[in-house]
């Protein structure tokens, strides 16, 4: 299957290529992309099909800069991403009522504002996780953002917790009836604290004072400020990946109590808010992905929809025109506020029929109708990824 993407964004300064039709992208998001493209350090911008307006930088954008980095082009949930594991369990093995399994997962994994009582229990039992945990927190005191000392205990307690918003834990099945476990989360409060402190510092630098949007403030290569930000950012990215590993180990433990003979298969653990140093057009660049996954050749990734609509396991095609990137999900088509005004609890129940999940006012803003069509988003990037599996949601845990 072929498509007519990418499309160049009119009015952009640095080359800005879109895997989305301009008439389907809100004007505010297009203006935001143009502002990003006009930064003097930007080599190019790539726009994914799940694009929508974000804080400072657009969600669904990939920004390649020369000798600079913008913290807002990563976002405050540093290292947010997805993890999935394939199981040997078939849908025919599942009970008709998944309520007990959902309750057990919710009891084992802290969700919303909850946290572990100190270190997550599974870390104490799993040597590999304990080694990774001790190594990560052995570097906590070396973080360079100010006033983080009193966040140490909270960061420990939240490592292995879900959070709220669009974060989730799911039990899904592919077209062959094979069950997969999946979850979505990031660096929790510590990532937010790190990001906000560095964004504040960037806004005060002289070279950022004349920017069209101060939220796009950058750090410059060769400065102590950029070194400090990247040092802390890489730590937060490691925290986010470990957070997902700990949660998945916990969920696997719960699942194994229900299905003792389960055998674990392929695992995928990938960021979609992060920074990497990469080379394109023969130029060494700092690439920020905010709501985008890496899609290098044969690299596995995960593209989720909204609660109840399922997800895709994909394999990257290594398309350098997109800076080897793809979308991170379906993408919102309306704000949380508008979703709450538009939809009711009854709407939520109808749109999540057949899925074991919360169906109350607290998650109406996460209703499938507030998101773009996942199938359309996948169809728009057939030159970026190939589909390995289509996952159907059976059970969804939300914060």
């Amino acid at each position: 299957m072929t498509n007519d993407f990418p499309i160049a964004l009119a009015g952009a300064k640095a080359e800005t290529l879109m895997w989305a039709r301009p008439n389907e992208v809100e004007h505010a998001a297009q203006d935001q992309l143009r502002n990003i493209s006009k930064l003097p350090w930007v080599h190019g911008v790539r726009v994914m099909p799940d694009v929508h307006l974000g804080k400072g930088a657009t969600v669904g954008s990939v920004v390649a800069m020369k000798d600079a980095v913008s913290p807002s082009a990563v976002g405050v949930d540093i290292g947010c991403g997805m993890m999935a594991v394939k199981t040997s369990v078939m849908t025919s093995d599942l009970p008709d009522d998944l309520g007990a399994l959902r309750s057990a997962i919710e009891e084992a994994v802290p969700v919303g504002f909850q946290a572990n009582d100190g270190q997550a229990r599974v870390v104490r039992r799993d040597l590999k996780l304990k080694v990774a945990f001790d190594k990560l927190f052995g570097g906590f005191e070396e973080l360079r953002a100010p006033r983080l000392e009193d966040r140490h205990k909270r960061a420990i307690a939240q490592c292995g917790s879900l959070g709220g918003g669009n974060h989730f834990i799911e039990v899904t099945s592919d077209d062959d009836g094979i069950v997969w476990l999946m979850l979505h989360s990031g660096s929790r409060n510590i990532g937010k604290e790190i990001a906000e402190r560095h964004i504040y510092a960037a806004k005060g630098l002289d070279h950022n004072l004349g920017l069209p949007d101060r939220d796009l403030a950058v750090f410059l290569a060769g400065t102590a400020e950029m070194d400090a930000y990247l040092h802390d950012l890489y730590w937060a990215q490691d925290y986010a990946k470990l957070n997902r590993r700990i949660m998945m180990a916990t969920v696997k433990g719960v699942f194994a109590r229900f299905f003792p003979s389960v055998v674990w298969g392929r695992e995928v653990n990938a960021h979609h808010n992060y920074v990497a140093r990469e080379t394109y057009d023969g130029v060494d660049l700092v690439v920020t992905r905010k709501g985008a996954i890496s899609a290098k050749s044969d690299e596995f990734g995960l593209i989720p929809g909204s609660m109840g609509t399922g997800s895709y396991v994909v394999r990257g095609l290594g398309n350098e025109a997109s800076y080897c990137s793809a979308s991170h999900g379906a993408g919102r088509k309306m704000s949380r506020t508008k979703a709450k005004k538009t939809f009711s609890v009854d709407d939520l129940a109808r749109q999540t029929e057949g899925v074991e999940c919360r169906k109350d006012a607290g998650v109406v803003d996460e209703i499938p109708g507030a998101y773009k069509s996942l199938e359309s988003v996948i169809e728009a990037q057939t030159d970026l990824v190939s589909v390995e599996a289509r996952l159907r949601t059976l059970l969804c845990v939300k914060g």
Side-chain angles (χ1 to χ4, degrees):
M1 183 184 297
T2 60
N3 57 46
D4 54 0
F5 298 116
I7 299 171
L9 177 64
K13 185 175 181 181
E15 183 184 58
T16 302
L17 302 180
M18 303 175 65
W19 276 259
R21 302 188 191 287
N23 65 308
E24 297 175 352
V25 180
E26 55 201 320
H27 292 299
Q30 292 189 46
D31 289 341
Q32 194 172 58
L33 290 165
R34 293 185 183 98
N35 283 338
I36 295 169
S37 76
K38 292 173 184 176
L39 296 178
W41 310 277
V42 172
H43 178 80
V45 181
R46 301 297 182 260
V47 184
M48 300 297 103
D50 57 341
V51 58
H52 59 276
L53 186 69
K55 173 72 171 174
T58 319
V59 179
S61 65
V62 183
V63 182
M65 288 191 177
K66 173 70 173 173
D67 297 329
V69 64
S70 172
S72 288
V74 181
V76 296
D77 194 357
I78 298 170
C80 186
M82 300 285 303
M83 186 172 183
V85 59
K86 189 176 184 179
T87 82
S88 61
V89 175
M90 305 296 293
T91 53
S92 57
D93 300 323
L94 300 176
D96 293 336
D97 186 350
L98 295 175
L101 179 57
R102 177 164 76 96
S103 295
I105 294 172
E106 290 172 339
E107 183 178 347
V109 179
V111 302
F113 293 107
Q114 299 175 29
N116 293 291
D117 181 12
Q119 191 180 77
R121 291 181 183 178
V122 71
V123 175
R124 305 166 200 169
R125 302 192 300 265
D126 187 314
L127 180 59
K128 287 184 178 180
L129 288 178
K130 180 166 176 51
V131 169
F133 190 95
D134 290 346
K135 180 180 179 182
L136 178 74
F137 280 94
F140 186 90
E141 293 184 358
E142 298 174 10
L143 293 173
R144 301 175 191 178
R147 303 183 306 283
L148 290 177
E149 298 83 3
D150 61 346
R151 298 295 191 270
H152 186 252
K153 288 184 178 179
R154 186 177 186 182
I156 287 176
Q158 287 190 328
C159 197
S161 67
L162 184 65
N166 62 356
H167 294 162
F168 63 77
I169 300 168
E170 288 187 346
V171 176
T172 69
S173 67
D174 63 22
D175 290 337
D176 295 323
I178 300 171
V179 173
W180 292 64
L181 306 181
M182 175 176 283
L183 58 83
H184 171 207
S185 192
S187 53
R188 307 296 285 110
N189 181 259
I190 189 63
K192 176 177 178 291
E193 297 280 354
I194 287 171
E196 289 179 343
R197 282 159 171 71
H198 284 290
I199 290 171
Y200 177 83
K203 287 181 178 180
L205 298 175
D206 289 346
H207 62 264
N208 291 319
L209 300 182
L211 296 181
D213 182 351
R214 289 282 293 285
D215 281 324
L216 293 175
V218 306
F219 294 120
L220 301 180
T223 64
E225 293 87 357
M226 181 163 165
D227 289 345
Y229 172 65
L230 290 178
H231 172 273
D232 290 0
L233 172 129
Y234 293 143
W235 185 91
Q237 289 180 181
D238 288 343
Y239 180 103
K241 185 160 284 191
L242 180 60
N243 180 42
R244 292 191 292 273
R245 286 179 60 197
I246 292 171
M247 272 192 290
M248 185 59 80
T250 302
V251 174
K252 286 165 72 173
V254 172
F255 195 79
R257 293 207 308 266
F258 285 77
F259 306 97
S261 61
V262 63
V263 176
W264 308 110
R266 175 183 296 280
E267 287 194 357
V268 182
N269 189 354
H271 298 316
H272 53 226
N273 287 1
Y274 75 107
V275 173
R277 294 185 182 272
E278 300 174 6
T279 301
Y280 297 100
D281 308 319
V283 182
D284 293 333
L285 300 164
V286 179
V287 178
T288 56
R289 293 182 174 91
K290 183 176 183 179
I293 62 171
S294 176
K296 296 181 176 68
S297 182
D298 291 329
E299 182 176 23
F300 279 85
L302 301 165
I303 302 179
S306 58
M307 78 186 271
T309 60
S311 304
Y312 282 89
V313 181
V314 298
R315 188 194 295 260
L317 297 178
N319 189 335
E320 294 201 0
S322 71
Y323 298 144
C324 295
S325 303
S327 75
H328 83 309
R332 298 191 73 93
K333 67 180 181 182
M334 66 175 66
S335 69
R336 295 184 182 278
T337 300
K338 185 176 180 181
K340 289 177 180 179
K341 292 179 179 179
T342 303
F343 298 106
S344 67
V345 172
D346 288 340
D347 294 324
L348 177 65
R350 281 192 294 271
Q351 293 185 28
T352 59
E353 185 177 0
V355 178
E356 173 59 47
C357 65
R358 286 177 60 187
K359 301 177 192 286
D360 57 67
V363 292
V364 167
D365 57 344
E366 282 294 299
I367 191 170
Y371 285 80
K372 298 177 182 178
S373 161
L374 180 59
E375 280 64 37
S376 296
V377 166
I378 294 295
E379 187 177 340
Q381 51 191 324
T382 53
D383 57 334
L384 307 183
V385 293
S386 62
V387 172
E388 293 294 305
R390 172 68 161 96
L391 304 181
R392 177 173 61 93
T393 305
L394 305 174
L395 178 159
C396 179
V397 170
K398 301 288 288 188

